[in-house]
Amino acid sequence: MQNLQRGSTEFTVRHQLDALPCTDLITAQAVTSDRLGELAALARREIPGVRASEAELAEFLRHDPDSIFVLCRGRALLGGIAFLYLNCAGLDALLLDDFNLNDPPRRYLARPGEEVAAIYVWALVAQGRGAIGLGNVARTLRGPRYHAADYYAQPSSPEGRAFLGALGFAPVASFQPDLWWYQRPWNRLPDVIAPSIQSTTNCEKGSLADARH
């Protein structure tokens, strides 16, 4: 699956991802096996260049069952979002453009249940009002496992860049082309410097201020 996003016109003004409201109109939950085929078809239809198959998504889920969410209204599938939960080595490799994001090595991914050093938005598609369900996803990713991790993403279109900007992302200096960064509000301390190719991360120290995504 390519690293790109397609949002909706629900986000035409700037928001902060962690401040998005939750909603009862859209459910956001980890994808189940019975919806993988439908989600793969939606991604191929709505995101140019994506050729993800049901089997590929199933393999991805085998590593971490909480890495793909579906956005639904009732039984109607309106979208989905997939994440790579990176460990400290994975965050360094991301900033240095040192691995294939379409086929990420397992050694760079946090193990299920392991604290996450960085949340990479692997792919996002949301039709109509599906995008308002992102507030529900963000609530889940404020949990203890993800709390220290900032977000990264790579937009693939002007619409994707505008969508990320509306969620509080901004471009960040790195070897990774067109990499965008969202810093969690609680990580925004005066002495925190945005990650760059000169300074990546010191995750081994266990400091919230060291988590970059």
Side-chain angles (χ1 to χ4, degrees):
M1 188 178 293
Q2 291 187 354
N3 314 301
L4 37 78
Q5 298 77 34
R6 173 169 293 191
S8 81
T9 55
E10 294 286 341
F11 294 94
T12 56
V13 298
R14 189 174 180 86
H15 296 265
Q16 289 295 312
L17 180 57
D18 280 300
L20 292 176
C22 296
T23 179
D24 293 329
L25 297 176
I26 304 296
T27 59
Q29 60 189 28
V31 68
T32 52
S33 58
D34 62 307
R35 308 220 70 170
L36 278 179
E38 187 180 1
L39 180 60
L42 177 65
R44 290 194 300 269
R45 185 169 66 248
E46 294 294 326
I47 306 178
V50 164
R51 294 177 177 83
S53 67
E54 181 176 354
E56 288 170 328
L57 292 184
E59 178 61 29
F60 188 65
L61 280 179
R62 269 192 283 273
H63 177 77
D64 194 327
D66 296 322
S67 56
I68 302 177
F69 291 80
V70 287
L71 306 170
C72 301
R73 186 167 190 175
R75 282 292 299 172
L77 180 66
L78 299 183
I81 183 166
F83 299 104
L84 299 179
Y85 299 135
L86 303 179
N87 57 26
C88 292
L91 172 54
D92 284 339
L94 173 68
L95 294 173
L96 294 171
D97 191 18
D98 201 27
F99 71 95
N100 180 2
L101 286 165
N102 292 321
D103 186 21
R106 294 292 184 259
R107 68 181 182 276
Y108 290 145
L109 302 180
R111 297 184 300 272
E114 180 183 14
E115 186 174 333
V116 175
I119 301 169
Y120 182 80
V121 183
W122 200 36
L124 165 64
V125 58
Q127 296 179 311
R129 304 198 68 187
I132 66 175
L134 293 179
N136 297 356
V137 177
R139 175 179 58 189
T140 298
L141 297 188
R142 289 193 292 271
R145 183 188 179 202
Y146 316 98
H147 194 264
D150 294 338
Y151 289 83
Y152 284 100
Q154 285 179 294
S156 64
S157 66
E159 294 80 7
R161 292 179 182 86
F163 187 66
L164 289 180
L167 292 176
F169 284 76
V172 63
S174 72
F175 283 112
Q176 187 71 241
D178 202 18
L179 188 65
W180 288 54
W181 176 51
Y182 171 83
Q183 188 180 31
R184 310 302 283 272
W186 42 89
N187 288 344
R188 296 171 193 172
L189 304 177
D191 59 342
V192 171
I193 301 174
S196 68
I197 58 177
Q198 288 80 24
S199 175
T200 55
T201 181
N202 294 309
C203 292
E204 66 276 9
K205 295 181 181 178
S207 167
L208 290 182
D210 291 334
R212 303 300 189 215
H213 312 282

